[in-house]
């Protein structure tokens, strides 16, 4: 099969790799209908995260089940499935509490690599959710978004307790931040402030439900949010970047007793204890338990209630993955879909 | 009147100070029945927090109202009252959301000083809660505890979502940590693990409801908590110290999706973003909104359901405040009550 591999920072190649096979009896093999490049893939691509190349790339996926192991009971060949970037058994105590991202048996799909024609999915019964049938082509990008960016934005909005009567601010205008806007809207937030200085992203934010756009950042951004909220700060702030600046911006823009939901993968972040103490905010986040939300998200997509696939503004054949990485790295594209 | 003043680290003096007067029409003057020394008073006493001496000391208080300003409508002279260490109007949007510690008009009682015979209490109607009548003498220590350590321990337990079916661990065996044990018990927690290596504090923890004692600290303490919880960590962890070590211990002892309630005043704490991200815990804390809990706490004390006054293991005349500070600094006393 063809699959994308990172050889060194900036060096993405698509090459022939061995077809995956069933390793554990709980595995499934899927043929990918679509896959994509994540903002978090840019960390190793840029050399910020150390990468021991050659390493397989990608952790987002939708596709059709080809084969299942002997202990797989609910997932069947021929089903169209969506899964999270964490494989999880969905039965352990942590999974049952809604934190499948911390399943005691979890496997990170990024170590397997889904920017490929085929992928092995561990713990198939727990990890994969089948759609009601084969999706029409226009639904595929949205189902693919559910695999990570939509689920992650949803978790950010839920962790920030976005809901009726609440003013929500979103720090980060990448695909996750934009999906956070969409999630906040679905969860009933009254006012949704997207923080973005890029016209196409502002436009998508508005389409997804943002009521206001703020272009200022850092302390200036915080000052504007406070001004818009009677000096108090937003009830809910979603953080979808992962830097020290974005975390501080999120915490400072939140009112006392308010909630910060952070999902940007943390890089060189050290939160001052006195800020956390004095701010009296709630802080919750981390790798999203996407699996928790998949059934609901698939329903919303299947019924065409939401259209998160709009985050893909560039689609390329898998063999052109390197160009996809360049486009995202240079912010020419919000999110790149790859067609295997 | 007599009042305690900090001249320099380690130099506490009780001296004649001017009687307080009504400054704002929303003020009340109270005659203190009892006051006390807080663990947080030790920070300036030890020179860890810079203190511009001479500075008045103390922020915990119960007493009888002597006089009220012209705009005070519900609090009346002659009432026995309890208040929080934050004066708050209890009417602003932040107060109404339950975060009186961040009231838009808040005043820190520590800047006024309550280790004295008399004290001015700003925003009296919002700040003070009258008891059903004059308390019997044995209830006074418990009512005084409600002014800070009980309310703060209660907030820690509530922030950590201590409750039925939950395993709770408490980091810190000072008065606040011990009151956190009591609060977790009242909130219905199933198992309460006090982390302490001091026999008298272990004993009080058991009396307040601890089911287990763990003497290990740091990584060892975390390992023991994990071992006791099937490898997962506690559902709820209360942090009542305020150091880097105690915060890391609390976060690492919490299971994914669990809750950390932190109330130790943060000193030189910087939380690594990747730990917060990977731990997937909820983090909430800061200065406790004690005012929110006062009516309930007074009821529980008045009905003799709880006896938090047991945290006072040394009572001294106000004039001997310096000895009280020494006793707490040297950990000879858990908490010192001062009799004005």
């Amino acid at each position: 099969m063809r699959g994308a591999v990172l050889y060194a920072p900036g060096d993405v190649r698509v090459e022939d790799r061995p077809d995956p096979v069933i390793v554990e009896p709980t595995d499934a093999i899927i043929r990918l209908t679509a896959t994509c490049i994540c903002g978090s893939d840019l960390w190793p691509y840029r050399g910020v995260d150390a990468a021991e190349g050659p390493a397989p790339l990608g952790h987002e996926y939708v596709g059709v089940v080809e084969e299942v192991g002997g202990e797989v009971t609910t997932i069947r060949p021929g089903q169209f499935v969506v899964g999270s970037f964490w494989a999880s058994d969905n039965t352990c105590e942590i999974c049952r509490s809604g934190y499948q991202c911390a399943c005691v048996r979890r496997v990170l799909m990024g170590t397997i690599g889904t920017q490929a024609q085929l992928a092995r999915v561990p713990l198939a019964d727990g990890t994969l959710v089948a759609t009601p049938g084969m999706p029409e082509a226009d639904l595929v990008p949205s189902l693919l978004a559910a695999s990570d960016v939509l689920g992650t934005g949803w978790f950010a909005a839920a962790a920030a307790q976005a809901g009726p009567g609440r003013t929500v601010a979103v720090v980060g205008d990448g695909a996750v931040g934009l999906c956070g806007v969409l999630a906040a809207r679905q969860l009933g937030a009254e006012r949704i402030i997207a923080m973005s200085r890029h016209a196409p992203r502002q436009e998508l934010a508005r389409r997804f439900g943002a009521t206001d756009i703020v272009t200022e950042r850092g302390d200036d951004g915080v000052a504007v949010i406070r001004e818009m909220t009677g000096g108090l700060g937003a009830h809910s702030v979603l953080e979808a970047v992962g830097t020290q600046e974005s975390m501080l911006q999120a915490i400072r823009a939140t009112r006392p007793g308010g909630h910060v939901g952070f999902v940007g993968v943390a890089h060189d972040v050290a939160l001052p204890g006195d800020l956390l103490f004095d701010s009296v905010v709630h802080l919750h986040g981390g790798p999203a338990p996407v699996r928790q939300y998949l059934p609901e998200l698939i329903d919303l997509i299947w019924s065409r209630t939401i259209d998160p696939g709009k985050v893909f503004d560039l689609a390329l054949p898998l063999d052109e993955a390197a160009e996809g990485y360049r486009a995202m790295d240079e912010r020419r594209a919000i999110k790149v879909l790859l067609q295997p």
Side-chain angles (χ1 to χ4, degrees), chain A:
Chain A
M1 69 163 189
R2 303 288 287 167
V5 175
L6 183 69
Y7 273 78
D11 182 6
V12 170
R13 304 181 204 171
V14 178
E15 55 188 22
D16 287 323
R17 295 175 57 209
D19 283 2
V21 294
I22 299 288
V23 177
E24 302 287 340
T26 46
D27 287 348
I29 304 296
I30 62 167
R31 178 166 296 277
L32 285 107
T33 305
T35 180
C36 53
I37 304 173
C38 183
S40 69
D41 291 327
L42 296 180
W43 293 111
Y45 179 79
R46 288 170 174 163
V48 177
D49 284 353
E52 290 267 322
L57 284 164
H59 54 264
E60 300 159 289
Y61 56 99
V62 292
V64 178
V65 179
E66 290 249 316
E67 187 189 351
V68 298
E71 290 179 15
V72 174
T73 60
T74 60
I75 293 296
R76 296 182 308 275
Q79 285 180 325
F80 190 92
V81 290
V82 187
S84 155
F85 54 95
W86 280 112
S88 55
D89 65 18
N90 212 29
T91 57
C92 76
E93 193 172 333
I94 300 296
C95 280
R96 278 179 292 141
S97 76
Y99 286 86
Q100 291 91 340
C101 54
C103 170
V104 300
R105 298 172 68 200
R106 68 181 181 172
V107 179
L108 191 54
M109 290 301 295
T111 61
I112 290 172
T114 63
Q115 290 165 9
Q117 292 178 311
L118 296 163
R120 180 176 73 86
V121 181
L123 304 165
D125 280 334
T127 305
L128 297 172
V129 179
T131 56
M134 289 302 287
E136 296 187 42
D138 68 315
L139 289 185
V140 169
S142 288
L143 292 167
L144 177 60
S147 178
D148 182 352
V149 286
L150 174 61
T152 296
W154 202 276
F155 174 54
Q161 304 221 338
R166 292 197 151 229
T167 294
V168 176
V170 180
V171 179
D173 62 359
V176 170
L178 292 166
C179 286
V181 169
L182 183 156
R185 174 61 167 271
Q186 283 298 313
L187 293 169
E190 184 173 302
R191 189 175 190 188
I192 303 169
I193 307 166
M195 306 188 82
S196 172
R197 47 180 65 183
H198 301 275
R201 294 166 190 240
Q202 292 173 355
E203 194 185 324
L204 192 50
R206 288 207 183 269
R207 183 184 177 126
F208 279 171
T211 54
D212 301 83
I213 303 286
V214 165
T215 56
E216 288 81 357
R217 286 188 190 171
D219 288 347
D220 292 342
V222 170
V224 173
I225 299 291
R226 291 200 170 267
E227 207 178 284
M228 293 171 81
T229 53
L232 303 179
H235 298 93
S236 304
V237 179
L238 283 59
E239 190 283 338
V241 183
T243 62
Q244 181 78 359
E245 186 190 9
S246 63
M247 285 296 283
L248 296 185
Q249 183 175 325
I251 293 167
R252 290 184 172 135
T254 307
R255 69 179 54 195
H259 293 74
V260 177
F262 66 97
V263 293
V265 181
H267 280 78
D268 295 324
V269 171
L271 297 184
D274 51 356
L275 170 68
L276 272 184
F277 190 86
D278 296 337
S279 66
V280 211
V281 300
H282 298 75
L283 199 62
H284 184 42
V290 172
R291 176 64 183 81
Q292 181 192 159
Y293 306 116
L294 277 180
E296 182 182 359
L297 300 181
I298 291 171
D299 278 354
L300 289 169
I301 292 165
W302 207 261
S303 63
R304 292 189 153 77
T305 307
I306 60 174
D307 193 5
K310 283 283 178 289
V311 295
F312 294 105
D313 54 351
L314 179 61
L316 295 170
L318 173 62
D319 273 341
E320 292 174 31
E323 165 54 17
Y325 275 84
R326 279 194 295 273
M328 279 184 63
D329 181 40
E330 295 162 11
R331 288 179 76 89
R332 282 185 279 120
I334 298 175
K335 194 166 176 71
V336 176
L337 184 144
L338 298 173
Q339 297 151 325

